[in-house]
Every structure is written in structure tokens, then in C-alpha cells.
Amino acid sequence: MRDQGLTTDPVEINAGTWYLRALRTDERIDDRPAVLASCVDPEIRRWRRRPPAEWVEADAYIRRRARDWARDERYTWAVCEPTTGEMFGEVELAAVDLPLGTAEAACWALPEARGRGMITTALSAVLRFAFGGIGLHRVTYAWAEGNAASARVSAKCGFLPEGRQRSAYEVDGQRMDVLLAGRLATDR
């Protein structure tokens, strides 16, 4: 576990087929189109809360992600094609508590990247960073019941089922249970 008061600079991760880096909007790389696409994609919106699909909101989203890194509150990676840097998804460690050694994992993928193992590969790399790089002890993963893709990611990344929160999320106007799973640094 790390000492309190230290900040973690954004970390780039080569995950083989995919490259993970901080979200950007600058003269070389602009992730706003991918963020906007995630805000209008019906499948992502079904399972994840997204900001309004507006350029100003995409700018604010990317700036928030940078501030969260600087505050050691949330570490977020754009999951990218390694040669072009084009963003196809996002993986994050949210609710980071460095003194306690805990965080919550979350992710999304644009339609053209689904079914290719991108999120499983990216989240596995982020978990290696979480446990080996910053010394977290525990990472939690939660998803709404019925989200089969997230259930598969959880199992493939070694999360173990831990419980359920009844009626904790709304999907398509109906209350759904949220399934909880956890992974410890000591899990193999």
C-alpha cells in the first residue's frame, strides 16, 4: 500500500493488442469523438451512466479524468488501437482509496471493439497495475443483472462472486439487482 499524500501520474500500459493511456484532447489526439460515441450508443447507455452527448461535456469529461488522476481518486485509461491511438473503450479504477488499498473497476467498449476481448485484456492489465504497481489489496467489480458481457469480463478477469444489491440500478425503466464480485491481490 502506498503512503498517503503521494500522487500517481497517468500510467501508459502496453496490453499487447491494445494500448492503454490517459484520455486526451490535444493537437495530436482527440478522444472526444469516442467519448461522444459512448454517450449515444444504446448498449453503453443501457448499462452505464454517460454525460450528455455534447462537445463541451466531452471536454469536461476528459478534464475531470485528468483531475481525478492528479487527486488519486480515479485512474482511467482510454483503450486504444496501438498504431493509431484511436480510442475504442475505457477502463477505470474508481473510488480509489490508497490508504485502504481498494478501488472499483468499471469499463465500456464501443460497438466496433466488442466481442474481440478488448475489455478483458485491458482490465487484466489494469489489475496487474493495481496490485503490482500501486499496491492495492482489493478491487471490486459490479454490474447490473442481465449484463452478460460484464458478467463474462468479471469471470475472465478472475473476480469472485460476492453478493448482490437488490434493485440498485435501473435498466430500461425497470429496477435491477446489481451483482458484486471482488478480486484480491492474493487471488491467483
Side-chain angles (χ1 to χ4, degrees):
M1 195 172 338
R2 297 188 32 225
D3 293 330
Q4 269 184 299
L6 299 177
T7 56
T8 303
D9 289 328
V11 172
E12 295 179 356
I13 301 172
N14 180 342
T17 310
W18 303 100
Y19 179 66
L20 285 63
R21 58 164 174 76
L23 276 72
R24 295 173 50 181
T25 179
D26 55 48
E27 65 282 350
R28 292 185 55 223
I29 296 176
D30 188 356
D31 291 327
R32 289 176 300 177
V35 170
L36 290 172
S38 77
C39 296
V40 297
D41 178 74
E43 193 65 12
I44 294 172
R45 290 179 53 86
R46 184 173 193 218
W47 304 111
R48 296 283 316 261
R49 300 290 180 240
R50 303 302 300 147
E54 301 169 5
W55 282 102
V56 67
E57 292 292 337
D59 280 331
Y61 183 88
I62 292 169
R63 281 193 310 276
R64 262 192 319 277
R65 294 303 193 241
R67 278 193 312 270
D68 291 345
W69 266 103
R71 295 176 180 158
D72 283 326
E73 296 172 350
R74 175 193 312 250
Y75 307 137
T76 305
W77 290 266
V79 184
C80 305
E81 197 283 324
T83 56
T84 66
E86 182 179 0
M87 180 180 181
F88 286 105
E90 183 178 32
V91 174
E92 67 182 71
L93 294 173
V96 175
D97 187 328
L98 293 174
L100 192 57
T102 61
E104 299 170 3
C107 51
W108 56 261
L110 292 175
E112 56 269 30
R114 292 182 194 143
R116 296 169 47 191
M118 179 188 79
I119 291 296
T120 300
T121 299
L123 183 54
S124 294
V126 165
L127 290 169
R128 287 190 296 278
F129 167 77
F131 298 131
I134 58 173
L136 293 185
H137 174 69
R138 173 187 175 74
V139 176
T140 304
Y141 188 74
W143 66 96
E145 189 169 36
N147 186 340
S150 280
R152 285 190 303 274
V153 166
S154 175
K156 288 179 180 180
C157 288
F159 287 91
L160 299 177
E162 295 183 335
R164 130 185 343 255
Q165 294 174 321
R166 296 175 301 134
S167 293
Y169 198 74
E170 187 174 308
V171 176
D172 300 331
Q174 295 184 2
R175 299 303 304 181
M176 303 289 289
D177 289 357
V178 169
L179 304 174
L180 302 169
R183 177 141 175 224
L184 304 178
T186 55
D187 290 344
R188 294 287 175 238

